[in-house]
């Protein structure tokens, strides 16, 4: 009798497992292939041993993704043989499986050496032969014996990918310009350029480009001339750049600029910007007015984010005005209690949302005829929430000459007295 419940439990468990297995086996091949497309190719290939049905399913996965973490020559040789075998099988699959084309190739190498260049060239030739639409290469340049780093130079054969829509390169050297008529997204991170003209000419030869990401690149040329971004199709751009920059993109709608000095940046042709985010940018006394005029004269600007912007000359006062601005976010997280920054927001009749993150030493004067939704995140988590802090907090809110619809307050501490918080929020409501 004692064995009977155990048998029932075993039977019940097996029935649940069988039911789960049936659910997977009933999925259409198209759904299984879609799920497998999110996995590394090493995991996808292993599914071929599950059953006869799964033996050739991996041939229908459109994406190939490989990651090399080897640190020694024998380890890379093992990785190289594996990739070679996979690509050879996919080549053969084209002859007996109708939907076995490859449209996306992704390769990540954590430590690149010159000895790996030949293998990379061969794998990229496979990509060219298969006319892939998405290419992603992420390499960590290896350190040289004496000085510098080993960068992989993208071969010119890649220019034959005329159907390419997405190109993501990281840790690559570009010695020549390229052109892709169908390219929609271009991401370049930690790349090394022979000259700024290499990138400028390439952008001109990508007439369908809509999104550009450029971060932490190095130019080998000794000639100091601006990086020129010229595109009539570009709509979204994220750029991290410390040199001279000239952007001529008449249809650019969203710009995220990280680091740089405003006097070295020319955005006068970008009048279609709706979303603008500036992070860790700086200006001098002579170009602060031009920065304020630029914000004022953007005819379509709706969303503005300023994060840790500052003046090199010590003048810490910035005026923001725009007739179409609806949302303004101010992040002041790098400022200490000894640094005081003044912001004046006025002549913004459509402003409905305001966000602030930082300490209470920032002086903000805000005028708006609308009921605002406000969110305040105070990062004084290292500061004692004593009487002086709360007095400073009340003075912070008294500078706002506006009415609030909703106010959200975030403090990084459990030491805050609820009664004082209630008093401050009441003060905000009465303003």
């Amino acid at each position: 009798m004692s064995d009977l419940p155990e048998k029932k439990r075993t039977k019940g468990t097996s029935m649940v497992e069988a039911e789960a297995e049936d659910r997977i086996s009933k999925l259409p091949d198209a759904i299984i292939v879609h799920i497998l497309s999110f996995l590394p190719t090493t995991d996808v290939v292993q599914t071929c041993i599950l059953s006869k049905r799964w033996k050739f399913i991996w041939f229908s996965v459109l994406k190939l993704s490989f990651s090399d973490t080897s640190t020694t020559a024998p380890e890379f040789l093992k990785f190289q043989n594996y990739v070679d075998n996979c690509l050879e099988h996919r080549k053969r699959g084209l002859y007996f499986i109708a939907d076995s084309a490859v449209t996306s190739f992704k390769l990540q190498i954590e430590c690149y050496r010159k000895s790996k260049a030949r293998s990379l060239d061969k794998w990229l030739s496979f990509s060219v032969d298969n006319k892939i639409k998405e290419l992603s290469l992420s390499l960590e340049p290896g350190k040289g014996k004496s000085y510098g780093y080993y960068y992989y130079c993208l071969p010119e054969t890649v220019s034959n990918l005329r159907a390419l829509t997405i190109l993501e390169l990281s840790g690559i050297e570009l010695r020549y310009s390229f052109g892709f008529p169908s390219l929609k997204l271009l991401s370049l991170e930690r790349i090394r350029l022979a000259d700024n003209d290499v990138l400028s000419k390439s952008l001109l030869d990508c007439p369908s480009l809509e999104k550009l990401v450029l971060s932490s690149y190095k130019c080998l040329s000794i000639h100091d001339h601006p990086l020129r971004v010229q595109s009539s199709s570009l709509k979204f751009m994220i750029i991290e750049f410390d040199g001279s920059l000239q952007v001529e993109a008449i249809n650019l709608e969203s710009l995220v600029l990280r680091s740089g000095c405003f006097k070295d940046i020319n955005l006068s042709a970008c009048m279609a910007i709706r979303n603008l985010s500036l992070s860790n940018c700086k200006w001098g006394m002579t170009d602060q007015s031009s920065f304020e005029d630029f914000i004022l004269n953007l005819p379509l600007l709706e969303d503005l984010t300023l994060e840790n912007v500052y003046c090199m000359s010590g003048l810490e006062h910035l005026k923001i005005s725009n007739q179409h601005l609806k949302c303004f976010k101010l992040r002041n997280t790098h400022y200490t209690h000894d640094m005081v920054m003044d912001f004046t927001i006025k002549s913004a009749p459509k402003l409905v949302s305001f966000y602030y993150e930082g300490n209470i030493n920032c002086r903000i004067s805000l005028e708006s005829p609308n009921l605002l939704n406000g969110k305040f995140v105070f990062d004084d988590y290292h500061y004692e929430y004593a009487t002086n802090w709360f007095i400073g907090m009340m003075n912070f809110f008294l500078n706002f000459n506006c009415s609030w619809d909703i106010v959200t307050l975030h403090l990084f501490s459990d030491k805050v007295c609820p009664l004082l918080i209630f008093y401050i929020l009441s003060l905000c409501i009465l303003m």
Side-chain angles (χ1 to χ4, degrees), residues 145-160:
K145 294 181 179 180
S146 54
Y147 64 92
Y149 290 85
Y150 295 124
Y151 278 78
Y152 174 67
C153 182
L154 197 70
E156 292 190 51
T157 53
V158 174
S159 295
N160 294 323

